[in-house]
Amino acid sequence: MPELPEVETTLRGIAPHVLHQTIHSVIIRHPTLRWPIPNSLPVLLPGQHIQTASRRGKYLLLAVQTGTIIIHLGMSGRLSLLKKNSSPKKHDHVDIVFENGDILRLTDPRRFGAVLFSSSPFAHPLLKNLGPEPLTADFNADYLFKKSRQKKVPVKTFIMNSQVVVGVGNIYAAESLFSAKLHPLQAAGEVSLIQYQLLVKSIKKVLNASIKQGGTTLKDFLDSEGNKGYFILKLKVYGREGEPCVTCFNPIASLRINNRASAYCLHCQSACSIK
Ligand SMILES: [Zn+2]
């Protein structure tokens, strides 16, 4: 599933090619993604140009004069830039065609992605309650500490809640908790300020490492076959259940939290209040 680093990589890949381009036409081949694509887009967008390209959480925002195109890649979505007249394949659901002939194409086999339009995107129901961006100064240990007091939810669930902080998916949560030596089931309200300092540092480090690695795939962005391949981090716990811990050599354990597999090391990730 595209996570925040992949969305950031996508943004950096497309931004130089779409900024200030004028939209010629919009082709919707399959209007039913996670939500219906507004059928007004092919009428509304032509003639407008892309003023800014940005990201909020896992949403890509392309602002035009009358509003903002909101794109989410869902479970399997991918954006690619193609040259004039590239013929669509089976899962190519939406094309934004620019006046120079370039095509911004959304491919989404599982159709959990979204293409929406809003005149005030930050007030949109999908965006208005999002927590801070994890790589900004607003996301810090004091914030998490205050926000978590009295909360009994597992710390892993807490940091994966997009109203607390955006973009910390399952992989990044598991890896950051390992790095901060925190048990995933530790109650969020019982994590100390010092532990949150370590956790925030770990989250920023692991996300930055992914973005940096993703950057190396940017040169492939114009490849119409789009086998960009989401990069593989050097994962220490995620997906390594049963394999030896890189620190203590005991086997990596797994438990289910909120129906998600949660890999962790029983020995390295302290569990002071977990029986
Ligand atoms: Zn260990």
Side-chain angles (χ1 to χ4, degrees), residues 100-196:
N100 69 355
D102 284 358
I103 302 167
L104 180 65
R105 175 168 288 169
L106 177 69
T107 308
D108 187 0
R110 295 180 66 181
R111 290 196 278 117
F112 273 102
V115 178
L116 300 165
F117 189 80
S118 172
S119 54
S120 47
F122 297 105
H124 191 280
L126 289 170
L127 276 81
K128 70 175 180 188
N129 294 320
L130 293 180
E133 288 288 329
L135 298 174
T136 63
D138 289 344
F139 178 63
N140 56 57
D142 287 339
Y143 163 77
L144 274 190
F145 183 75
K146 282 185 193 133
K147 186 105 180 158
S148 61
R149 291 310 88 186
Q150 317 304 329
K151 295 234 165 42
K152 293 190 172 71
V153 293
V155 61
K156 180 167 182 254
T157 307
F158 181 68
I159 58 169
M160 286 180 68
N161 179 350
S162 63
Q163 295 190 13
V164 173
V165 55
V166 296
V168 183
N170 205 25
I171 299 177
Y172 304 104
E175 293 297 310
S176 309
L177 288 166
F178 175 78
S179 179
K181 298 185 165 58
L182 267 171
H183 194 290
L185 280 178
Q186 176 83 45
E190 291 172 11
V191 175
S192 71
L193 181 59
I194 289 170
Q195 286 174 312
Y196 273 130

Side-chain angles (χ1 to χ4, degrees):
M1 186 191 313
E3 294 286 351
L4 185 140
E6 289 86 349
V7 180
E8 178 66 23
T9 300
T10 299
L11 172 67
R12 293 181 190 184
I14 66 168
H17 303 278
V18 303
L19 270 179
H20 314 303
Q21 290 256 30
T22 303
I23 297 171
H24 172 270
S25 53
V26 176
I27 301 163
I28 302 172
R29 297 187 194 85
H30 203 307
T32 319
L33 299 183
R34 183 164 186 179
W35 297 282
I37 301 172
N39 57 15
S40 56
L41 293 188
V43 179
L44 192 69
L45 293 179
Q48 302 206 57
H49 66 266
I50 309 287
Q51 295 178 320
T52 60
S54 58
R55 176 187 61 73
R56 179 73 177 102
K58 296 206 291 182
Y59 295 93
L60 283 162
L61 307 176
L62 301 177
V64 297
Q65 286 92 322
T66 60
T68 298
I69 308 163
I70 303 172
I71 301 173
H72 195 281
L73 301 176
M75 307 282 282
S76 59
R78 180 168 51 78
L79 282 173
S80 35
L81 272 154
L82 303 154
K83 289 294 164 197
K84 210 179 245 187
N85 302 326
S86 299
S87 48
K89 299 195 179 75
K90 190 176 174 195
H91 301 293
D92 295 340
H93 305 312
V94 184
D95 283 359
I96 296 176
V97 185
F98 296 101
E99 280 190 348
N100 69 355
D102 284 358
I103 302 167
L104 180 65
R105 175 168 288 169
L106 177 69
T107 308
D108 187 0
R110 295 180 66 181
R111 290 196 278 117
F112 273 102
V115 178
L116 300 165
F117 189 80
S118 172
S119 54
S120 47
F122 297 105
H124 191 280
L126 289 170
L127 276 81
K128 70 175 180 188
N129 294 320
L130 293 180
E133 288 288 329
L135 298 174
T136 63
D138 289 344
F139 178 63
N140 56 57
D142 287 339
Y143 163 77
L144 274 190
F145 183 75
K146 282 185 193 133
K147 186 105 180 158
S148 61
R149 291 310 88 186
Q150 317 304 329
K151 295 234 165 42
K152 293 190 172 71
V153 293
V155 61
K156 180 167 182 254
T157 307
F158 181 68
I159 58 169
M160 286 180 68
N161 179 350
S162 63
Q163 295 190 13
V164 173
V165 55
V166 296
V168 183
N170 205 25
I171 299 177
Y172 304 104
E175 293 297 310
S176 309
L177 288 166
F178 175 78
S179 179
K181 298 185 165 58
L182 267 171
H183 194 290
L185 280 178
Q186 176 83 45
E190 291 172 11
V191 175
S192 71
L193 181 59
I194 289 170
Q195 286 174 312
Y196 273 130
Q197 283 166 350
L198 278 171
L199 184 60
V200 165
K201 214 172 146 186
S202 303
I203 290 172
K204 289 179 193 272
K205 201 170 115 186
V206 73
L207 287 171
N208 272 321
S210 292
I211 291 169
K212 201 173 162 195
Q213 208 177 340
T216 63
T217 65
L218 282 182
K219 61 179 171 9
D220 300 326
F221 233 91
L222 293 167
D223 173 6
S224 62
E225 295 308 312
N227 294 321
K228 187 165 72 76
Y230 294 128
F231 41 89
I232 297 163
L233 270 179
K234 281 193 179 140
L235 301 171
K236 290 183 177 143
V237 285
Y238 183 88
R240 293 194 66 244
E241 291 85 348
E243 293 177 36
C245 170
V246 295
T247 306
C248 73
F249 305 109
N250 284 294
I252 297 296
S254 182
L255 41 82
R256 289 193 85 75
I257 302 174
N258 273 0
N259 217 21
R260 306 290 299 272
S262 301
Y264 72 110
C265 177
L266 196 57
H267 296 266
C268 294
Q269 292 175 256
S270 65
C272 37
S273 66
I274 314 282
K275 302 285 179 269

